[in-house]
Amino acid sequence: MDLTDCYRLLELKTDARREEIKASYRRLARQYHPDANPTKGKETHLRFIQLTEAYKILLQSVHQAQTLPISPPVPPPAKTTVRHKPSTVPRIPNLSPQEQKLKLEAYQLLQQLLPKKRFARAIALTEGLAYRFPLDSEIRQWQAIAYQQWGRQSIRDRAFEKAKIYLNKALRLDPRNRSLAAEIQRDFRRIDSFAKT
């Protein structure tokens, strides 16, 4: 069950806060609890189980988002006259040991999420990291890979319009990555060949 399903099951918007998640779960749990609906049987019991699972996933997701330390936005550099050509590679500020640990743990979690096809969570994770480390090109690459993987899964699911959106997003996130661009071009050719059949 991905995050979108969880929000839908709990009748919430995707920007719901922890208190809203809890309140919605309590309301729906009272409505679908098997003890409150003994005549409805298996259907109500299954719905209650789905609600509980969705609730746990959302709480964990909100907890992870809240534990990501958020740094203040980087102020724009002061205007200076540049006499030489500026570097096209962004400079990454030195990371503190805590930030390095956070990045490593996020990478390890991403490595677990992608094979399990938990693409929404993988993208939420990488977007949180990109917000935290806006100049880190490696994290942009992780974002692009997560979108590309979701695009490939969408091709397998024959959801071609969705696949195009995710693949284009991957290209925009990491435009200088030639190998990724070549792979995405192959993915677009696969979409075209499926569309012709």
Side-chain angles (χ1 to χ4, degrees), residues 173-189:
L173 282 166
D174 198 5
R176 293 190 180 116
N177 188 334
R178 290 182 184 162
S179 62
L180 178 69
E183 285 183 33
I184 289 174
Q185 290 308 317
R186 282 193 294 272
D187 292 333
F188 277 121
R189 285 194 293 273

Side-chain angles (χ1 to χ4, degrees), residues 1-3 61 64 68 106-130 139 141-150 173:
M1 182 180 309
D2 65 18
L3 286 176
S61 169
Q64 285 176 346
L68 282 176
Y107 177 73
Q108 291 167 342
L109 179 58
L110 184 65
Q111 294 290 63
Q112 294 170 14
L113 293 173
L114 289 176
K116 293 178 182 174
K117 300 178 184 174
R118 310 281 302 272
F119 301 115
R121 288 194 65 192
I123 287 170
L125 173 67
T126 57
E127 286 180 354
L129 284 171
I139 290 172
Q141 184 181 34
W142 298 352
Q143 276 184 286
I145 289 169
Y147 274 107
Q148 182 206 19
Q149 293 295 316
W150 204 354
L173 282 166

Side-chain angles (χ1 to χ4, degrees), residues 22 27 34 46-47 61-63 77 111 114 143 147 149-150 160-161 165 168 172 176 180 190 194 197:
K22 286 183 176 184
R27 177 179 55 81
L46 289 175
R47 180 66 175 226
S61 169
V62 169
H63 175 71
Q111 294 290 63
L114 289 176
Q143 276 184 286
Y147 274 107
Q149 293 295 316
W150 204 354
F160 301 125
E161 291 306 313
I165 292 168
N168 279 320
R172 283 193 304 273
R176 293 190 180 116
L180 178 69
R190 282 180 59 209
F194 280 127
T197 58

Side-chain angles (χ1 to χ4, degrees), residues 8-12 20-33 48 51:
R8 183 183 48 77
L9 276 169
L10 290 171
E11 300 172 0
L12 292 167
E20 295 169 307
I21 294 169
K22 286 183 176 184
S24 182
Y25 173 72
R26 283 190 204 111
R27 177 179 55 81
L28 291 168
R30 280 192 298 269
Q31 183 179 345
Y32 288 101
H33 196 282
F48 179 75
L51 288 169

Side-chain angles (χ1 to χ4, degrees), residues 31-35 37-38 40-52:
Q31 183 179 345
Y32 288 101
H33 196 282
D35 292 344
N37 298 292
K40 301 248 174 132
K42 204 174 207 178
E43 183 180 313
T44 305
H45 182 68
L46 289 175
R47 180 66 175 226
F48 179 75
I49 290 171
Q50 289 175 332
L51 288 169
T52 303

